[in-house]
Amino acid sequence: MYALKKAFAKYFPILDWGSRYNSKTLVNDLVVALIVTMMLIPQSLAYATLAGLQPEVGLYASMLPLILYAVFGTSSALAVGPVAVVSLMTATAISKMAISGTSEYLTAAIALALISGLILLVLGFLKMGFVANFLSHPVISGFITASGLQIAAGQLGPVLGIPLHGDNFLEIIISLWNEIKHAHFETTVLGLSVVVFLFFLKSGLRPLLRRVGLRDSLANMIVKVGPVLAIIVTTLVAWSMDLLGSGVRIVGEIPGGLPTLSLHIPKINLLAQLLVPAILISIVGYAESISVAQTLAAKKRERVDPDQELIALGASNIGSALSGGFPVTGGLSRSVVNFDAGAETPAAGAFTALGIALAIIFLTPLLYFLPYATLGALILVAILSLVGFGELLETWSFSKADFTAMLITIITTLTAGIETGLIAGVTLSMLLHLYTTSRPHIAIIGQIPGTAHFRNVLRHKVATDPEVISVRFDESIYFPNVRFLEDFVNDAVAANPAVKHFILECRAVNRIDTSALVSLEAINRRLKEGGIAFHLSEVKGPVMDQLKKSNFLEHLTGKVHLTHYGAVSSLNPDMAANTLNAAE
Amino acid sequence: MYALKKAFAKYFPILDWGSRYNSKTLVNDLVVALIVTMMLIPQSLAYATLAGLQPEVGLYASMLPLILYAVFGTSSALAVGPVAVVSLMTATAISKMAISGTSEYLTAAIALALISGLILLVLGFLKMGFVANFLSHPVISGFITASGLQIAAGQLGPVLGIPLHGDNFLEIIISLWNEIKHAHFETTVLGLSVVVFLFFLKSGLRPLLRRVGLRDSLANMIVKVGPVLAIIVTTLVAWSMDLLGSGVRIVGEIPGGLPTLSLHIPKINLLAQLLVPAILISIVGYAESISVAQTLAAKKRERVDPDQELIALGASNIGSALSGGFPVTGGLSRSVVNFDAGAETPAAGAFTALGIALAIIFLTPLLYFLPYATLGALILVAILSLVGFGELLETWSFSKADFTAMLITIITTLTAGIETGLIAGVTLSMLLHLYTTSRPHIAIIGQIPGTAHFRNVLRHKVATDPEVISVRFDESIYFPNVRFLEDFVNDAVAANPAVKHFILECRAVNRIDTSALVSLEAINRRLKEGGIAFHLSEVKGPVMDQLKKSNFLEHLTGKVHLTHYGAVSSLNPDMAANTLNAAE
C-alpha cells in the first residue's frame, strides 16, 4: 500500500504540489497564465504554419499538452507547446509523404505526435534519459543554428509574399534567388514593417523601458507581449485597407470550436515511415526541454527528475495527438517568461491552456484578416536569436575536434537537410568520442628517487629498472581502448628486450568489461610466451571483485600488488633500499 | 630525401626484412610454404563454395593477396586468404543482387573485394584502425558463434546432397527440416565419412601422435594436412566408383590457367549496394586479422603496426579483385600453422602463392572428381571450432551487460541474418557503453578527521561542513556524462539548503570537451543564482590549459584550489585547525 502510494507520488508530481495549493498561489498562477497566453497565441499560430499546418492546429497543440504537463511534469516553470525547431522537423518528416494542407498531412502530423509521445513514455519508464547524451553540445548547437537559418530563410516566403520550396537551406536560398523578382509589394511592406518593429522591440524598446525606470522583468514582459500588438495592428490594417483585394495572403476562416478528442491509430506503413523522424524529434525535443527545465529549477533550488520529464513530455505529446495537434516540447522563451512572471506551480500551465481554449472560442473570428506575412515575420525574428556563429569561433579555440563536429553538423544540415545533418553530427561526435576514449593517457612510469612516488619517464627524472616495465593506464579499461592498451604493451615489450616483469598500475581503472578481461588475458598469455611475468598494482575494490569472477587471477603469471611501490620493491629490492621516505 | 626514405620504409616493410634475407631464411620459408600450401588448397576451394562461387575463385584469391601482404604486411606469420566468416558475409551481401553461379554474381564478389580493399586502404592512411573498436569482444564473439552455426547448418546441404536455402540460421534449419527426407544416400555416406574422419583427426589422432612421441607442433601439422588426404581419397573414390553416375555432385572441370589480371571498375549502383556490406566485411576482417597477428607477434616479441596492417589488408583485397578473387583477410588456423612451421619472414606467404599457382597449373585436372560433399564436410568441421557457447556462460558471470550484448547479437544473427545481427550488436554495445560512461562514479566526500584525506561520505566516517559540499567526479568530463554531473549537482544542492560553497574535486578528470565546458558554465551560473560559490580543486595541468582557453575562469564564482584540503580549509578554517597531519 505504501509502495503503491510512493509510486503514485513519483509518477504524479501533481499530488505533491497540489496538496499545498492555496488561494494565493491560485491568483499568482492566474496572472502568469494571462501573460503566457498572450505570448503563446501568436507563437502557436506561427509554428503551426512553420510545420505546414493550419494556424488553428497550433492552438489545439497548446491546450491538452499543457494540462498533462501540469499533472506529470516536475518543473514549475516549463511551458510546453509548439516550438520552432520541432515544428520544422515535423514539416521535414511529413512533407516527404503528404502535401501540406491535405488531410493526409494533418493525419501524419498527429501520428507523429502520438509516436513521439509513445517513444518518450517508453524511454521514461525504462529510465533511458541518457540517450539524450548522444547529442553533444557542439552537435545540438550547430544543429539549432543551421535549422534556425533554414527556418529564417523559409519565412522570407510569407514575408515577401512569394512561394519558396526546398528541403534544406541551400534549396530554399536557390528558390529565393529565383523568386525574389516576384516579391509582392503590399505583403513585403507589411512583412518587413513587422520585422523592423519586432527587432526594435528586442533591441531598442527594452533599453528604453529600462531607462525610464521599469524593472528588468517587467520590461522583458512588455517586449514579449509585443508580438500580440503586431498581430492586432496588422490584422486591423489588413481589414481596414482591404489588403485581401490587393493579394496579401490572410489566415481566413478558422474553425472556432474546441477540437474533438479522438485517437487515430496510425497504419503500420505510416508508423514505419515516421519512426526515425519521431525518434529524432523525441530526442531533440527532450534535450531542449530538459536543459530549459534544469536551468530554471536551479534558480529556485528545485529539482527536476529527468526520467519523469520524459514521461511528462510523452504524455503531453500523446495529449497533443488526441486533440488533433502536432509534436510539442518545452520551449525556452515562454518558459523564461513563465518563470520571470513568477509561476509557482505547474498549474500556471493548466490555466494557460484555459486561456488558449477561451481564445479558440472567442477570438478566432477576429483572426480572419491576420496576414501570413505577420506570422512569418514573428518566426523570422524569433528564430534569429537561436542562430549563433560566435559559438563556432569559441569552440574552435577550445577544441578542434568539437569544432569539426559542429561545422560538419552545420554544413550537412544546411545542404542535405535537418535529419541528415542531425544524424551526421551524432555519428561524427560518437566517432570522435570513440576515438578519444580509444586513446587514453598511458605512461611508462619510474620511481622518483628517494620516494615511493612514480611519474611518467618522459616528463620526470626517475629511476627505472631494465628488467621491470611499469605502466600507468589513466582510464577505465573497456572495449574502445583495449586495443590501444594491447598495442602499447606490445610496443613497450618489443622496445625493451631485457624486461622480465611488466606491472600495470591500475589506480585510475574504475571499471573493466568483458573485452578488457579478454585483453588482459591475451596480454598475460603473450607476455608469458615471451618469458615475462605480468603484474597488476593498486587495483580498486570493484575491479578486483570483477576479476575474481573470472579465472584471470589463476592464470596471472605475476601478482596483484597493493601498492605500486610494493610491487617494484618486491621485484627489485635495490629500488626499495634506495628509498628514504618510503612510508609516505 | 631522408623523409622520403623513411616514408618508404614505413609503407614498405619489405625493404626492412628484405635487406636481411639470406639463403638460410629462404630454405626455411620454402618448407613453411609447402606445408601451408597443402592446407590452403582445400580451404580456398571450400571457402569459395561457401561464398557461392566456383572453387577455382578460391585459388585465385590465394595468390596475389599473399604476395601483396608480403610486401606491405608487418607480421611474419599472418597468412591471408579466404576465411569462413568473411566468405559467408560475401555470400550474404551479393546473394541479394545476383544468383550464385552467374557472371553477375562473380562480378559483384570481385567488386566487393575491390571496395573493401579501398576502404581498408583509406582507413589505413587516415590511421583509423580504432574503428575496429566498435566491435566489443562480446559482440564479435557472439557474431562468430552465430555465423559459425549458420555456416555449419548450411554445409549440411552439400554433405547430405540436398539443396538448402535461407539467409539466416533459422531459415536454413527450416529448409533442412523440409528437405532432409530427400537426403542423397551415396552423398550422405561420403560426406559423413569425411566429417567423422576429420573429427577423428582433430580429437583422436593428435593425442595418438603425441603418445607415440611426436612433437606437439609436428603432430599439429600432420593433423592440419589431413584435409588434403580427405580430398585425395574422396576424389579417388568418386572417380573409381563412378559416383557421378549415382548422382553425387562433383566439382567438374576447373579452368586450368592462371587468372588474367584485370581491373573492373564497379558501376555506381553496384557500388552503392555493396558499400555497407563492404564496410562490415572490412571491419570484421580487420578485427579478426589484427588479433591473430598481434598474438603471433607477441610470441616472438615482434611488433605489428595496426595502421600498416590496414594498408596491407587493403592491398591484399585489391590484389584479390585484380586477379578475379573475392574478399580475403588473415585467417587464424593457417597463420598458426605458418607460425608453428617457423615462418621467418612474410616471404613464406609469397612462396605459398607460388605453390597455389603451381597447383592451378598442374593439379586442377585432378580435382575433376572432387565431391562437393567433401568440401562441405571440411567447412563444417573447421567452423564448429569457432562455435563457443561456453563463453556465453563465462560472460554471464562476469558482466550482465556484456552478456546481454552477446546474447542479442547471437539471437539477431541467427534469426535475422549476419548483417542485421552485427549491426544490432554494435549498436547495442555502443548504447551500453554510452550508458555506463554516462553514469560515472561520483561521490560527496568528507574529511577523515585529523588528516588531509577525503573519502565518500556514504562509506567512511568523515567530517563535513553544512555550508560546503565537496564532490569527487571519478572520470573525465565529456558529453556522455555531463547531464549526470548536472543532475548530481542539482540534487545535492536541493538536498542541502544551507550550502554556500560547492567544490568539485577534479583529480580523476583527465580531459574536458566543449559539452563539459558548457555544463560547467551552466553549473556555475545556476549555483550563482542560488547564492552558492562554485570551486574546483586538484585540476590537472591539461584540463587547466583547456579551461584557460575559454572565459570560464573569469566567470567562476569561486576559486581553483591546488589541493582539495586547501580548498576546504580556506573556506572553513575550523576544518584546518582539526587537522593534525595536514602536511602529508
Side-chain angles (χ1 to χ4, degrees), chain A residues 315-357:
Chain A
S316 299
N317 274 290
I318 292 171
S320 184
L322 287 177
S323 47
F326 64 112
V328 294
T329 193
L332 175 64
S333 56
R334 286 193 303 275
S335 300
V336 170
V337 171
N338 211 5
F339 181 87
D340 286 343
E344 294 205 2
T345 69
F351 296 136
T352 306
L354 193 68
I356 297 286

Coordinates of all heavy atoms in Angstrom, one line a residue, chain A residues 315-357:
Chain A
A315 N 3.5 12.2 -22.3 CA 2.0 12.4 -22.0 C 1.6 13.6 -22.8 O 0.5 13.6 -23.4 CB 1.7 12.5 -20.5
S316 N 2.4 14.7 -22.8 CA 2.0 15.9 -23.5 C 1.8 15.7 -25.0 O 0.9 16.2 -25.6 CB 3.1 17.0 -23.3 OG 3.2 17.3 -21.9
N317 N 2.7 14.9 -25.6 CA 2.6 14.7 -27.0 C 1.5 13.8 -27.3 O 0.8 14.0 -28.4 CB 4.0 14.1 -27.5 CG 4.9 15.2 -27.9 OD1 4.7 15.9 -28.8 ND2 6.0 15.3 -27.1
I318 N 1.2 12.8 -26.5 CA 0.0 12.0 -26.7 C -1.2 12.8 -26.6 O -2.2 12.7 -27.4 CB 0.0 10.8 -25.7 CG1 1.2 9.9 -26.1 CG2 -1.3 10.0 -25.8 CD1 1.4 8.8 -25.1
G319 N -1.2 13.8 -25.6 CA -2.3 14.7 -25.5 C -2.5 15.6 -26.7 O -3.6 15.8 -27.2
S320 N -1.4 16.0 -27.3 CA -1.5 16.8 -28.5 C -2.1 16.0 -29.6 O -2.9 16.5 -30.3 CB -0.1 17.3 -28.8 OG -0.1 18.1 -30.0
A321 N -1.7 14.7 -29.7 CA -2.2 13.9 -30.8 C -3.7 13.7 -30.6 O -4.5 13.7 -31.5 CB -1.5 12.5 -30.8
L322 N -4.1 13.5 -29.3 CA -5.6 13.2 -29.0 C -6.4 14.4 -29.4 O -7.6 14.3 -29.8 CB -5.8 13.0 -27.5 CG -5.3 11.6 -27.0 CD1 -5.5 11.5 -25.5 CD2 -6.0 10.5 -27.7
S323 N -5.9 15.6 -29.2 CA -6.6 16.8 -29.6 C -6.3 17.4 -30.9 O -6.5 18.6 -31.2 CB -6.5 17.9 -28.5 OG -5.1 18.0 -28.2
G324 N -5.8 16.6 -31.8 CA -5.6 17.0 -33.2 C -4.4 17.9 -33.4 O -4.3 18.7 -34.4
G325 N -3.4 17.9 -32.5 CA -2.2 18.7 -32.6 C -1.0 18.0 -33.2 O -1.1 16.9 -33.6
F326 N 0.1 18.7 -33.1 CA 1.4 18.1 -33.6 C 2.4 18.1 -32.5 O 2.1 18.6 -31.4 CB 1.8 18.9 -34.9 CG 2.1 20.3 -34.7 CD1 3.4 20.8 -34.8 CD2 1.1 21.3 -34.3 CE1 3.7 22.1 -34.6 CE2 1.4 22.6 -34.1 CZ 2.8 23.0 -34.3
P327 N 3.6 17.6 -32.8 CA 4.6 17.4 -31.7 C 5.0 18.7 -30.9 O 5.1 19.8 -31.5 CB 5.9 16.9 -32.4 CG 5.3 16.2 -33.6 CD 4.1 17.0 -34.0
V328 N 5.0 18.6 -29.6 CA 5.3 19.8 -28.8 C 6.5 19.4 -27.9 O 6.9 18.3 -27.7 CB 4.1 20.1 -27.8 CG1 2.9 20.6 -28.7 CG2 3.7 18.9 -27.0
T329 N 7.1 20.4 -27.3 CA 8.1 20.2 -26.2 C 8.2 21.5 -25.4 O 7.4 22.5 -25.6 CB 9.4 19.8 -26.8 OG1 10.3 19.3 -25.8 CG2 10.1 21.0 -27.5
G330 N 9.1 21.5 -24.4 CA 9.2 22.7 -23.6 C 10.1 23.7 -24.3 O 11.1 23.4 -24.8
G331 N 9.6 24.9 -24.4 CA 10.3 25.9 -25.2 C 11.0 26.9 -24.3 O 10.5 27.2 -23.2
L332 N 12.1 27.5 -24.8 CA 12.9 28.3 -24.0 C 12.2 29.7 -23.6 O 12.0 30.0 -22.5 CB 14.2 28.6 -24.6 CG 15.1 29.6 -23.9 CD1 15.6 29.1 -22.6 CD2 16.4 29.9 -24.8
S333 N 11.7 30.4 -24.7 CA 11.3 31.8 -24.5 C 10.1 31.8 -23.6 O 10.0 32.6 -22.6 CB 11.0 32.5 -25.8 OG 10.1 31.7 -26.5
R334 N 9.0 31.0 -23.8 CA 7.8 31.0 -23.0 C 8.1 30.6 -21.6 O 7.6 31.1 -20.6 CB 6.8 30.1 -23.6 CG 6.1 30.6 -24.8 CD 4.9 29.8 -25.1 NE 5.1 28.4 -25.3 CZ 5.5 27.8 -26.4 NH1 5.8 28.6 -27.5 NH2 5.7 26.6 -26.5
S335 N 9.0 29.6 -21.4 CA 9.3 29.1 -20.0 C 10.0 30.2 -19.2 O 9.7 30.4 -18.0 CB 10.3 27.9 -20.1 OG 9.7 26.9 -20.8
V336 N 10.9 31.0 -19.9 CA 11.5 32.1 -19.2 C 10.5 33.1 -18.8 O 10.6 33.6 -17.6 CB 12.6 32.7 -20.1 CG1 13.2 34.0 -19.5 CG2 13.8 31.7 -20.3
V337 N 9.6 33.4 -19.7 CA 8.5 34.4 -19.3 C 7.7 33.9 -18.1 O 7.4 34.6 -17.1 CB 7.6 34.7 -20.5 CG1 6.4 35.5 -20.1 CG2 8.4 35.4 -21.6
N338 N 7.3 32.6 -18.2 CA 6.6 31.9 -17.2 C 7.3 32.1 -15.8 O 6.7 32.4 -14.8 CB 6.6 30.4 -17.6 CG 5.3 29.7 -17.1 OD1 4.5 30.3 -16.5 ND2 5.3 28.4 -17.3
F339 N 8.6 31.8 -15.9 CA 9.5 31.9 -14.7 C 9.6 33.3 -14.2 O 9.3 33.6 -13.0 CB 10.9 31.4 -15.0 CG 11.8 31.4 -13.8 CD1 11.8 30.3 -12.9 CD2 12.6 32.4 -13.6 CE1 12.6 30.3 -11.8 CE2 13.5 32.4 -12.5 CZ 13.5 31.4 -11.6
D340 N 9.9 34.3 -15.1 CA 10.0 35.7 -14.7 C 8.7 36.2 -14.1 O 8.7 37.0 -13.2 CB 10.4 36.5 -15.9 CG 11.9 36.3 -16.3 OD1 12.6 35.7 -15.4 OD2 12.3 36.7 -17.4
A341 N 7.6 35.8 -14.7 CA 6.3 36.3 -14.2 C 6.0 35.7 -12.8 O 5.0 36.1 -12.1 CB 5.2 35.9 -15.2
G342 N 6.7 34.6 -12.4 CA 6.6 34.1 -11.1 C 5.7 32.9 -11.0 O 5.1 32.7 -9.9
A343 N 5.7 32.0 -12.0 CA 4.9 30.8 -11.9 C 5.3 30.0 -10.7 O 6.5 29.7 -10.5 CB 5.1 30.0 -13.2
E344 N 4.4 29.7 -9.8 CA 4.8 28.9 -8.6 C 4.6 27.4 -8.7 O 5.2 26.7 -8.1 CB 4.0 29.5 -7.4 CG 4.4 30.9 -7.1 CD 4.1 31.3 -5.7 OE1 3.7 30.4 -4.9 OE2 4.4 32.5 -5.4
T345 N 3.6 27.0 -9.5 CA 3.3 25.6 -9.7 C 3.0 25.3 -11.2 O 2.8 26.3 -11.9 CB 2.1 25.2 -8.9 OG1 0.9 25.8 -9.5 CG2 2.2 25.6 -7.5
P346 N 3.1 24.0 -11.6 CA 2.7 23.7 -13.0 C 1.3 24.1 -13.3 O 0.9 24.1 -14.5 CB 2.9 22.2 -13.0 CG 3.9 21.9 -11.9 CD 3.6 22.9 -10.8
A347 N 0.4 24.4 -12.3 CA -0.9 24.8 -12.5 C -1.0 26.0 -13.5 O -1.9 26.2 -14.3 CB -1.7 25.1 -11.2
A348 N 0.0 26.9 -13.4 CA 0.0 28.1 -14.3 C -0.1 27.6 -15.7 O -0.8 28.3 -16.5 CB 1.3 28.9 -14.1
G349 N 0.6 26.5 -16.1 CA 0.5 25.9 -17.4 C -1.0 25.5 -17.7 O -1.5 25.8 -18.8
A350 N -1.6 24.9 -16.8 CA -3.0 24.5 -17.0 C -3.9 25.7 -17.2 O -4.8 25.6 -18.1 CB -3.5 23.6 -15.8
F351 N -3.7 26.8 -16.5 CA -4.5 28.0 -16.7 C -4.2 28.6 -18.1 O -5.1 29.1 -18.7 CB -4.3 29.0 -15.6 CG -4.7 28.5 -14.2 CD1 -3.9 28.6 -13.1 CD2 -5.9 27.8 -14.1 CE1 -4.3 28.2 -11.9 CE2 -6.3 27.3 -12.8 CZ -5.5 27.5 -11.7
T352 N -3.0 28.5 -18.5 CA -2.6 28.9 -19.9 C -3.5 28.2 -20.9 O -4.0 28.8 -21.8 CB -1.1 28.8 -20.1 OG1 -0.4 29.4 -19.1 CG2 -0.8 29.4 -21.5
A353 N -3.6 26.9 -20.7 CA -4.4 26.0 -21.6 C -5.8 26.6 -21.6 O -6.5 26.7 -22.7 CB -4.4 24.6 -21.1
L354 N -6.4 27.0 -20.5 CA -7.7 27.5 -20.4 C -7.8 28.8 -21.2 O -8.7 29.1 -21.9 CB -8.0 27.8 -18.9 CG -9.5 28.1 -18.6 CD1 -10.3 26.9 -18.7 CD2 -9.6 28.6 -17.1
G355 N -6.7 29.6 -21.1 CA -6.7 30.9 -21.8 C -6.7 30.6 -23.3 O -7.4 31.3 -24.1
I356 N -6.0 29.6 -23.8 CA -6.0 29.2 -25.2 C -7.4 28.8 -25.6 O -7.9 29.1 -26.7 CB -4.9 28.1 -25.5 CG1 -3.5 28.7 -25.2 CG2 -5.0 27.7 -26.9 CD1 -3.0 29.6 -26.2
A357 N -8.0 28.0 -24.7 CA -9.4 27.5 -25.0 C -10.3 28.6 -25.2 O -11.1 28.7 -26.2 CB -9.8 26.6 -23.9

